[in-house]
Amino acid sequence: MWGRKPRCVIRTKMASCSFEDVLAKAERDEAEKLKGITVSKELDLEFDPGNLLAFDKNRIDTREFKDCKREDFLRSLARDNTQLLINEMWKLPTERVEEVIVAKLPDPTTLLPREKPAPKPKPPTKWEQFAKLKGIQKKKKTNLVWDEVHKEWRRRWGYKRAKDDTKEWLIEVPENADPNEDQFNKRNKAKKERVARNEYNRLKNIARAQKIKVPGMGLAPTPRQSKAELAQAVNVAKISTASVGKFQDNLPKEKTPKNTGRKRKFQPLIGDFSSEKQKQLDLLKVMDSKKPRLDVTKAVNKQMREEDMESRHKNKKDFGKKGRRGKMSGKGKGKAGGKGKGPKGKGRKPQMKQGKR
Amino acid sequence: ASGRDRVSKAKTRRSKRFLQSRQPKLTEDQKSSMIIRGGNTSQTVSQALKDVYALKKPNAVLYKRKNMVRPFDDSTALEFFSKKSDCSLFLFGSHNKKRPNNLIFGRMFDFHVLDMFELGIERFVSLRDVKTDTCPEGTKPLLVFAGELFETDREHQRLRSLLTDFFCGPRVSAVRLAGLEHVLHFTALEGKIYMRSYKVLLKKSGCRTPRIQLQDMGPSFDFVMRRNHMASDDLYKTAHRQPRGVKPKKKKNISHDAFGTRLGRLHMQNSRSPQENKSAYVSLRTEKQN
């Protein structure tokens, strides 16, 4: 028993020594490993991995900066800071994307100003308001439509569309329509009017969205209207009722304008007998004659207008071929003569037949 | 929705896409920068502008022709350029006797100048002079700012924000660990700012994280602070305002305790009035007595 005890004691002591040694050795090994990447700093850096940004608040020793070579000092400082930043980056969760190890970045913490202000929600258009009110949903339409005539799938609108009514060579005249009316022209005009109305409504929607005041009907689109224009617009609005303004009350200080209406001048009842006689004889002569009378001003204006139209169409045709030719001025005035009102409707040139469509 | 507010509609789909790309968005794309040459530039300034352009390609435009603009006097010309090229960051380089080798870094908000900082180049080493291999174009650089001036001085703080905005690349959700090759280091010391650009070499270390070695690369500048124009506080605040859709909505009445369990909170209506309680109490008492 005496012999054994010391042996036991020694053995346990040795075991404890080696255990501590092992631990110490492990610690030293770890320290060795991390030696390469540890950097000691007074203050910890502030990191923003989302932006790959690091900020070092530590004081820089200006003496050291001036003593040793500048570039080396800066490079070593940069190396230390970059090492710390890289350590931080390696702590982020990684994943493997197409045989490449990629670190997932968190959201950036430094707030940077925006480029443009945030988009504002747009106010709904007139149609959108109505649709919301009625509960109308937008229906997604198919891109292609089956065209029976050509027996193929064609697009819903645009070039070579399914039901293209501009390509029709025959239009049936409806029962209640004038047989002399040009149906093709009518269709074109209706289309132009639809386009114009669509554009007008689009602009009104924009004006409403941007809260721009637009003058109402009857006024020029300029922001400043003259007194006369406004007065005229007021008068027009007043008589735009079913009873032509007869039952419209006046505003407190408004006076009903007198002397409105077309000015007519009448000859006195008992005046110049000879001129009255001449007038009556002329009237009878016109009624008797077989040939209708020619209103020269009107005829000339009409002719000028037609020639202008022709030259314009011809120009449009030659556009692609010969390029711009500069403005081809018509016969001087063009429409400047206007629809001259000659002596009151005594005779008219017979209505010219509608030209080729 | 973008084309809705234009009086003149876009005639082609391509032009429509172009206009839509320039509309304000909820989360913005990377900011483009315009690098403008001023009325008179020295060799240093011209080379400096070219180097910064090389760093910032492809999200940069370089206006090489002389532009007689004085940004601090009249910024309308800059704002016009910004609107036309859709760039919110700018770098304007000029040289005259009073301010030699001048660079003005600036940024815009809503096509109006937000901040402008005039920095004079005291020493410049160009990309060409440093004969080492560079990293590929468009790598997102690591940015490091050193010096307590960047924290304490208000102007330096703003300059730090501006430089971060200028040099940080696109916003990415993940980055290739081996691709962290470029580092830009800014040191603020005694009113001067030293900008250095290094190539990062990842060396083997004992553990997973590599040991860094830096190699001189790219342009290096020694800047001295000259004039500046900082935005007013409320304009600065407005510029930082984020739209509603971006911030994740905080869920109310939900909390997490120390163990990570999710706790909720219910608000009960107090349905029992004190009088009711009294009557119940009274009845109990009578019962007891019985």
Side-chain angles (χ1 to χ4, degrees):
Chain A
M1 262 173 75
W2 275 98
R4 271 192 204 158
K5 243 191 182 174
R7 244 187 281 156
C8 285
V9 168
I10 292 165
R11 207 181 280 163
T12 48
K13 259 196 191 168
M14 275 188 74
S16 65
C17 274
S18 59
F19 189 60
E20 276 167 15
D21 274 339
V22 167
L23 275 176
K25 190 162 181 284
E27 270 181 52
R28 265 182 278 132
D29 281 341
E30 272 291 316
E32 272 289 318
K33 270 192 186 174
L34 293 172
K35 196 172 94 173
I37 61 167
T38 42
V39 176
S40 63
K41 288 266 184 183
E42 273 177 21
L43 285 168
D44 276 337
L45 308 198
E46 275 177 14
F47 295 108
D48 179 13
N51 264 330
L52 306 181
L53 181 66
F55 177 38
D56 177 17
K57 282 188 268 195
N58 292 303
R59 267 192 77 245
I60 301 168
D61 203 352
T62 43
R63 271 182 291 122
E64 210 181 305
F65 181 70
K66 284 174 192 164
D67 286 344
C68 60
K69 280 193 265 182
R70 247 195 213 168
E71 292 305 311
D72 293 339
F73 176 78
L74 284 174
R75 197 180 305 121
S76 66
L77 175 66
R79 198 220 77 81
D80 290 339
N81 287 335
T82 318
Q83 182 72 65
L84 287 167
L85 179 57
I86 290 283
N87 292 352
E88 199 61 33
M89 299 299 297
W90 250 254
K91 286 181 197 165
L92 294 171
T94 59
E95 63 175 18
R96 209 178 179 84
V97 173
E98 291 174 17
E99 296 155 17
V100 169
I101 301 174
V102 146
K104 279 194 151 144
L105 293 177
D107 286 334
T109 51
T110 42
L111 288 170
L112 293 171
R114 280 177 66 99
E115 220 181 357
K116 296 165 192 156
K120 281 174 223 151
K122 303 253 160 75
T125 60
K126 202 82 190 279
W127 167 253
E128 280 173 3
Q129 284 170 7
F130 179 76
K132 196 173 162 191
L133 186 69
K134 289 280 188 177
I136 301 171
Q137 309 282 2
K138 253 194 194 178
K139 283 198 189 127
K140 186 110 185 179
K141 294 184 179 146
T142 56
N143 285 340
L144 302 175
V145 186
W146 178 251
D147 189 9
E148 266 307 318
V149 175
H150 296 92
K151 298 275 192 292
E152 61 178 3
W153 288 97
R154 285 198 164 185
R155 61 188 78 175
R156 193 180 284 275
W157 60 272
Y159 181 63
K160 285 191 189 158
R161 52 182 174 272
K163 294 173 204 173
D164 193 353
D165 57 355
T166 56
K167 300 277 193 253
E168 273 187 33
W169 54 272
L170 178 84
I171 303 179
E172 285 178 16
V173 177
E175 284 176 33
N176 48 3
D178 179 16
N180 286 337
E181 197 184 11
D182 185 358
Q183 295 296 328
F184 295 101
N185 200 10
K186 187 173 161 196
R187 225 177 234 191
N188 285 346
K189 278 210 177 117
K191 163 116 193 181
K192 280 185 186 155
E193 199 176 309
R194 270 182 274 136
V195 167
R197 196 191 318 140
N198 194 10
E199 185 64 18
Y200 180 68
N201 284 330
R202 186 180 76 90
L203 293 173
K204 273 213 306 201
N205 276 326
I206 292 171
R208 194 182 310 118
Q210 295 181 1
K211 296 191 175 49
I212 297 169
K213 298 232 173 200
V214 182
M217 283 299 292
L219 290 167
T222 50
R224 290 258 170 280
Q225 284 97 13
S226 68
K227 194 175 173 184
E229 278 179 14
L230 286 169
Q232 195 176 32
V234 164
N235 287 332
V236 167
K238 200 167 180 196
I239 62 170
S240 311
T241 58
S243 340
V244 205
K246 195 165 175 192
F247 302 109
Q248 292 299 109
D249 296 324
N250 276 344
L251 291 173
K253 284 193 181 173
E254 196 186 2
K255 292 175 212 160
T256 18
K258 288 187 269 183
N259 306 325
T260 47
R262 196 177 263 188
K263 281 191 180 156
R264 294 177 74 188
K265 199 174 179 187
F266 294 105
Q267 300 293 349
L269 274 173
I270 302 168
D272 196 1
F273 286 121
S274 57
S275 67
E276 196 185 333
K277 183 181 170 189
Q278 197 57 43
K279 273 197 186 141
Q280 304 249 4
L281 284 172
D282 282 339
L283 189 66
L284 283 170
K285 202 178 181 187
V286 166
M287 283 160 67
D288 267 341
S289 69
K290 308 281 183 200
K291 278 197 248 177
R293 285 178 82 198
L294 184 68
D295 184 2
V296 185
T297 330
K298 260 195 177 172
V300 167
N301 283 336
K302 203 162 191 176
Q303 180 73 5
M304 285 199 319
R305 240 188 303 141
E306 276 176 16
E307 280 178 355
D308 277 342
M309 287 283 209
E310 268 179 45
S311 65
R312 211 189 299 157
H313 285 306
K314 210 176 82 172
N315 263 5
K316 274 193 181 167
K317 259 203 231 168
D318 290 345
F319 235 49
K321 293 179 196 172
K322 288 176 188 174
R324 244 171 222 279
R325 255 194 188 182
K327 263 190 184 175
M328 279 253 269
S329 57
K331 302 267 161 155
K333 275 194 196 171
K335 272 199 200 163
K339 296 165 189 152
K341 281 188 183 164
K344 284 180 201 173
K346 284 218 176 136
R348 278 191 203 145
K349 204 174 171 213
Q351 244 196 354
M352 290 267 287
K353 281 219 177 102
Q354 295 278 345
K356 257 197 205 171
R357 183 189 155 250
Chain B
S2 70
R4 261 219 255 173
D5 266 7
R6 286 182 67 82
V7 175
S8 57
K9 280 202 286 194
K11 294 249 160 87
T12 56
R13 205 160 277 184
R14 187 171 172 219
S15 57
K16 188 177 168 191
R17 266 184 273 135
F18 175 80
L19 289 170
Q20 263 180 341
S21 75
R22 291 202 168 183
Q23 291 292 110
K25 301 174 191 109
L26 277 180
T27 45
E28 292 184 324
D29 319 318
Q30 191 188 357
K31 291 189 185 182
S32 324
S33 46
M34 44 186 192
I35 300 174
I36 310 170
R37 188 183 165 199
N40 195 16
T41 50
S42 59
Q43 179 75 351
T44 326
V45 173
S46 311
Q47 194 56 45
L49 293 177
K50 281 188 200 158
D51 283 354
V52 175
Y53 176 62
L55 275 182
K56 289 231 59 177
K57 269 204 265 195
N59 290 81
V61 228
L62 176 65
Y63 291 119
K64 273 201 266 190
R65 297 239 187 117
K66 290 187 186 179
N67 294 296
M68 309 296 288
V69 179
R70 298 213 167 91
F72 278 92
D73 295 337
D74 176 29
S75 47
T76 47
L78 281 178
E79 290 171 4
F80 175 75
F81 287 147
S82 156
K83 220 180 251 190
K84 282 290 166 183
S85 58
D86 195 31
C87 294
S88 57
L89 300 166
F90 67 88
L91 172 60
F92 182 84
S94 65
H95 173 82
N96 47 28
K97 216 169 178 184
K98 192 172 176 193
R99 285 178 244 273
N101 299 329
N102 209 15
L103 285 185
I104 304 178
F105 284 88
R107 61 185 165 191
M108 307 263 191
F109 175 68
D110 197 18
F111 306 117
H112 293 296
V113 170
L114 188 65
D115 295 323
M116 275 197 293
F117 276 87
E118 194 174 49
L119 303 169
I121 307 176
E122 293 202 324
R123 201 181 86 98
F124 167 59
V125 178
S126 150
L127 262 171
R128 289 191 305 184
D129 300 337
V130 181
K131 306 240 188 311
T132 50
D133 31 293
T134 53
C135 43
E137 189 181 284
T139 41
K140 195 167 156 78
L142 298 164
L143 295 167
V144 184
F145 289 88
E148 54 184 8
L149 269 177
F150 276 132
E151 171 86 4
T152 52
D153 185 27
R154 192 165 164 264
E155 290 182 355
H156 279 81
Q157 273 180 352
R158 200 58 86 80
L159 179 61
R160 182 177 121 215
S161 161
L162 175 58
L163 290 171
T164 317
D165 214 355
F166 203 91
F167 288 109
C168 85
R171 180 155 163 204
V172 281
S173 56
V175 70
R176 194 172 71 102
L177 286 176
L180 297 168
E181 295 176 324
H182 188 198
V183 65
L184 285 169
H185 192 265
F186 298 88
T187 323
L189 199 63
E190 294 167 343
K192 295 208 183 149
I193 299 180
Y194 302 94
M195 175 178 150
R196 298 284 180 273
S197 161
Y198 302 106
K199 187 171 154 81
V200 176
L201 304 169
L202 305 163
K203 299 285 179 189
K204 267 204 173 83
S205 76
C207 56
R208 188 173 157 250
T209 321
R211 186 182 156 74
I212 300 296
Q213 261 188 23
L214 296 180
Q215 196 180 34
D216 270 343
M217 186 195 78
S220 72
F221 295 91
D222 287 0
F223 287 127
V224 63
M225 292 261 282
R226 287 182 188 156
R227 298 180 289 181
N228 62 44
H229 168 86
M230 299 206 296
S232 59
D233 281 335
D234 40 304
L235 180 60
Y236 199 63
K237 244 193 203 176
T238 325
H240 282 267
R241 205 179 285 164
Q242 300 290 339
R244 275 231 184 124
V246 180
K247 258 196 290 185
K249 274 202 180 147
K250 223 182 157 187
K251 278 200 162 173
K252 284 184 170 179
N253 298 321
I254 293 178
S255 59
H256 297 262
D257 72 355
F259 299 102
T261 45
R262 205 156 156 239
L263 300 169
R265 197 197 250 181
L266 286 172
H267 296 272
M268 300 291 294
Q269 288 277 342
N270 197 7
S271 55
R272 287 181 159 215
S273 62
Q275 286 161 338
E276 267 187 303
N277 261 342
K278 244 190 196 173
S279 59
Y281 194 56
V282 162
S283 63
L284 268 172
R285 217 198 278 164
T286 47
E287 262 183 71
K288 242 187 175 176
Q289 279 174 354
N290 288 350

